[in-house]
Amino acid sequence: MAFLDLNNLSHQYFTKSGFTKAIEDISLSVEEGSFVSFLGPSGCGKTTLLSIVAGLLQPTEGQVLIDQKPLKEQKASIGYMLQQDYLFPWKTIEQNVVLGPYIQGDRSEAVKQKAASILSEIGLGNVLQSYPSQLSGGMRQRVALARTLMTDPKILLLDEPFSALDYQTKLKLEDLVSNTLKSYNKTSLLVTHDIGEAIAMSDSIYLLSANPGRLSKKFGVPSHLKTLSPFDARQHNDFNALFQDIWKELNKLE
Amino acid sequence: MSKTPLSDQKRFEQYERRLKKEKQSIRVWQVFICVFFFAVWEMSSRFQWVDPLLFSSPSKITNLLVKKFTDGSLLLHMQVTLFETVAGFLLGTFLGILLAAILWWFPKVSKISDPYLVILNAMPKVALGPIIIVALGPGYFSIIAMGAIISVIITTIVVYSAFEGVDENYLKVMNSFGANRYQCFKEAVLPASFPTIISTFKVNVGLSWVGVIVGEFLVSQKGLGYLIIYGFQVFDFTLVLSSLMMIAIFAAIMYQLVERLEKRLIKQ
């Protein structure tokens, strides 16, 4: 049995002038510990899909099951990383990172220690008392990752988390996030418009067609690419072949 | 190579000197304008360029202030007005923020009350003065109410739109951790709106002075507003201008206090 099941998800947005169908009849299952990416043209409902899995949005049809249990019963088991870090500028890095446990009522000393240890693991052990404005974009996105990991989410949702970064930082962060998530054995869903990023990081890739968003094709990443770090995977010969395949499929969709 | 650090240091010192000079020059100009203004005022009054009965003169004002300070009569009026203004300011501002929070909490209430807020905001609140004075009696309460009512609606509107304008993604972060509405408000919406709240403080400092002075005009018992209306009635414009001078000083002090609060609240 799969760890995460999406069953016949559909969602409509209503406006004064009518409604738009963001996603339609999406069903898929994800194994525990695996990394899945969603690629597609803009307007294919990628962010809607993540919001539904995060429990922030109630789908008009279908349901999300984690370990065969409906999502509502285990809301806190999801971590969400956004396009930008959205750190609270008036909180210190430490206060930002402990936000999740803090909201859930855990203000113990152990939480602070955990925050410090996660931050030092990703190379940010010395900025606990700094404010977000003192950090670079890449550092801030790493802090956002730490904040997401603090609540021990079973599933991590990544909504184009590297799109606002410069290329070099992005490559470095891909490696860091990929390694971190592997070492914590997290199940991850990544939404992106970057084909290379999807191949380098994922175990499998779903292509979505637009208006309404529908699953159009699934690509499996070859196992020897999976084991490589994202940066090394980008250098591998098979990377380009897969890139070309996906590129052609994506062009057909538009 | 060994020369570079020295010249870098020198350049920095030059920059520092330039900065200091600029600052000094601005100060000098500010003091000059102040001195010039009072000097011209004094002279034009002495040489009858303007009507001294109407415009008085700095020396007459100073004499009157000194006299009224020493016999203690000014102190009472100052205390009364200052108390009323601070009370009106605090009441109006915090009531406004509270109302804004209620509107944010209940979106439906906000939609229903929207046209009424627009009308209340556009209405000249000082016109309510007579009614307030009859309702609350001619005393502190009605004057404080005047100071508060003049700022409460605009505070509500401005702060509410700041609450609404908070980036939704902050709330998304909060919600992804399962935060309830109160936590969203306390951790994200309210702190993100501090800059706007501070600027309404600044506007309200001025507004509450208007409300209180108009209130004192109407009640005519005590306070700097009463001194102004009394001076006007007996044609003692030295008294009017002295009171105005005191108001200017206190309004400036209150504004400074708000700025200090701003620096403490908004560290980053």
Side-chain angles (χ1 to χ4, degrees):
Chain A
M1 276 296 172
F3 177 62
L4 170 69
D5 280 302
L6 312 185
N7 293 337
N8 308 96
L9 288 179
S10 292
H11 190 76
Q12 289 150 322
Y13 286 108
F14 298 99
T15 61
K16 275 178 198 161
S17 53
F19 63 88
T20 47
K21 203 147 199 187
I23 57 173
E24 188 174 65
D25 197 24
I26 289 189
S27 300
L28 58 95
S29 25
V30 180
E31 298 300 324
E32 184 161 19
S34 67
F35 197 117
V36 173
S37 287
F38 295 95
L39 264 175
S42 55
C44 68
K46 290 174 286 192
T47 300
T48 306
L49 187 60
L50 280 201
S51 294
I52 290 172
V53 177
L56 300 174
L57 208 61
Q58 196 58 36
T60 40
E61 256 178 78
Q63 58 174 347
V64 179
L65 297 175
I66 298 173
D67 265 342
Q68 308 306 311
K69 274 174 265 163
L71 183 63
K72 263 183 245 162
E73 293 165 23
Q74 36 190 353
K75 201 174 179 183
S77 55
I78 307 278
Y80 202 150
M81 240 177 118
L82 300 163
Q83 269 173 38
Q84 280 162 42
D85 50 78
Y86 290 104
L87 300 176
F88 294 96
W90 52 87
K91 289 178 184 284
T92 63
I93 297 305
E94 184 180 41
Q95 288 166 338
N96 265 297
V97 173
V98 299
L99 184 69
Y102 186 82
I103 287 170
Q104 288 152 16
D106 184 356
R107 302 182 183 191
S108 61
E109 200 55 37
V111 167
K112 281 188 180 178
Q113 282 166 9
K114 187 176 171 191
S117 82
I118 290 183
L119 280 173
S120 68
E121 254 175 70
I122 56 175
L124 289 173
N126 51 354
V127 295
L128 278 172
Q129 300 311 322
S130 308
Y131 283 89
S133 59
Q134 295 165 286
L135 270 55
S136 70
M139 288 163 93
R140 291 168 60 133
Q141 197 57 288
R142 276 190 275 166
V143 175
L145 174 68
R147 177 176 67 185
T148 314
L149 290 174
M150 276 300 286
T151 48
D152 286 325
K154 289 180 190 163
I155 295 171
L156 229 86
L157 307 175
L158 310 164
D159 188 354
E160 301 188 26
F162 313 115
S163 60
L165 301 171
D166 61 84
Y167 195 66
Q168 198 185 355
T169 313
K170 171 191 160 107
L171 289 183
K172 281 186 191 162
L173 261 191
E174 279 179 14
D175 272 12
L176 179 92
V177 169
S178 174
N179 287 335
T180 313
L181 295 184
K182 259 181 203 150
S183 70
Y184 283 90
N185 194 32
K186 299 288 182 203
T187 309
S188 314
L189 268 57
L190 170 74
V191 153
T192 181
H193 51 239
D194 180 338
I195 302 172
E197 184 174 293
I199 300 171
M201 296 191 75
S202 328
D203 301 326
S204 48
I205 300 166
Y206 288 94
L207 292 193
L208 294 169
S209 61
N211 301 322
R214 252 182 284 217
L215 283 188
S216 103
K217 193 157 181 154
K218 181 186 177 183
F219 287 91
V221 176
S223 52
H224 57 280
L225 278 185
K226 283 191 218 170
T227 50
L228 293 174
S229 75
F231 186 81
D232 294 330
R234 279 174 190 272
Q235 314 305 320
H236 200 279
N237 285 333
D238 294 347
F239 177 89
N240 275 324
L242 187 53
F243 190 100
Q244 292 301 333
D245 284 352
I246 294 177
W247 174 252
K248 275 179 207 148
E249 278 297 323
L250 262 182
N251 278 335
K252 274 190 217 160
L253 290 177
E254 278 170 0
Chain B
M1 280 301 278
S2 61
K3 260 187 181 173
T4 327
L6 189 73
S7 62
D8 280 351
Q9 181 65 26
K10 245 183 189 162
R11 257 184 234 124
F12 174 64
E13 277 163 15
Q14 273 174 354
Y15 168 77
E16 260 186 331
R17 266 202 297 278
R18 231 183 11 250
L19 219 61
K20 216 173 157 191
K21 234 178 173 178
E22 171 85 13
K23 225 175 162 184
Q24 274 173 350
S25 132
I26 287 171
R27 243 317 112 74
V28 166
W29 271 104
Q30 285 171 336
V31 171
F32 171 75
I33 288 172
C34 178
V35 171
F36 180 79
F37 171 74
F38 283 107
V40 167
W41 185 4
E42 181 72 39
M43 278 199 318
S44 47
S45 176
R46 287 251 166 118
F47 300 126
Q48 306 261 333
W49 297 341
V50 296
D51 188 349
L53 184 69
L54 219 62
F55 290 98
S56 190
S57 74
S59 57
K60 279 192 208 154
I61 290 172
T62 316
N63 286 338
L64 184 74
L65 282 176
V66 168
K67 198 184 114 213
K68 283 200 163 275
F69 260 118
T70 40
D71 70 10
S73 61
L74 189 62
L75 212 64
L76 172 77
H77 292 295
M78 268 169 29
Q79 274 174 350
V80 168
T81 305
L82 201 61
F83 166 70
E84 288 163 348
T85 310
V86 171
F89 165 76
L90 292 177
L91 199 66
T93 309
F94 286 104
L95 215 59
I97 294 172
L98 189 71
L99 283 174
I102 290 171
L103 292 184
W104 180 83
W105 197 282
F106 304 107
K108 194 160 184 186
V109 174
S110 141
K111 278 180 196 149
I112 292 170
S113 61
D114 183 59
Y116 300 104
L117 280 176
V118 171
I119 292 167
L120 282 175
N121 182 45
M123 192 168 59
K125 260 71 67 182
V126 289
L128 290 173
I131 300 169
I132 292 173
I133 286 162
V134 174
L136 297 176
Y140 292 126
F141 285 122
S142 40
I143 296 174
I144 292 171
M146 289 281 287
I149 207 168
I150 203 168
S151 58
V152 68
I153 300 297
I154 188 68
T155 307
T156 307
I157 291 175
V158 171
V159 173
Y160 172 66
S161 66
F163 286 167
E164 280 291 285
V166 171
D167 194 327
E168 235 172 275
N169 286 305
Y170 283 122
L171 298 179
K172 216 171 181 181
V173 170
M174 296 295 291
N175 286 330
S176 77
F177 289 127
N180 57 33
R181 202 149 169 81
Y182 172 69
Q183 285 171 325
C184 284
F185 182 76
K186 188 176 147 251
E187 298 294 331
V189 172
L190 187 63
S193 306
F194 272 150
T196 312
I197 289 176
I198 289 288
S199 55
T200 62
F201 276 19
K202 286 179 181 170
V203 174
N204 290 354
V205 166
L207 283 179
S208 51
W209 278 100
V210 174
V212 163
I213 296 299
V214 170
E216 287 179 349
F217 280 5
L218 294 173
V219 174
S220 289
Q221 279 180 341
K222 272 181 260 170
L224 295 170
Y226 158 71
L227 286 185
I228 290 175
I229 207 84
Y230 174 74
F232 168 61
Q233 281 161 354
V234 300
F235 242 67
D236 182 355
F237 282 94
T238 308
L239 182 60
V240 172
L241 286 166
S242 322
S243 312
L244 210 58
M245 208 64 90
M246 295 315 296
I247 292 172
I249 291 170
F250 282 126
I253 292 173
M254 264 175 91
Y255 192 87
Q256 286 288 321
L257 289 177
V258 170
E259 272 199 332
R260 213 165 274 181
L261 181 75
E262 176 177 23
K263 276 190 192 131
R264 279 192 62 179
L265 269 182
I266 305 169
K267 276 169 275 174
Q268 292 302 305

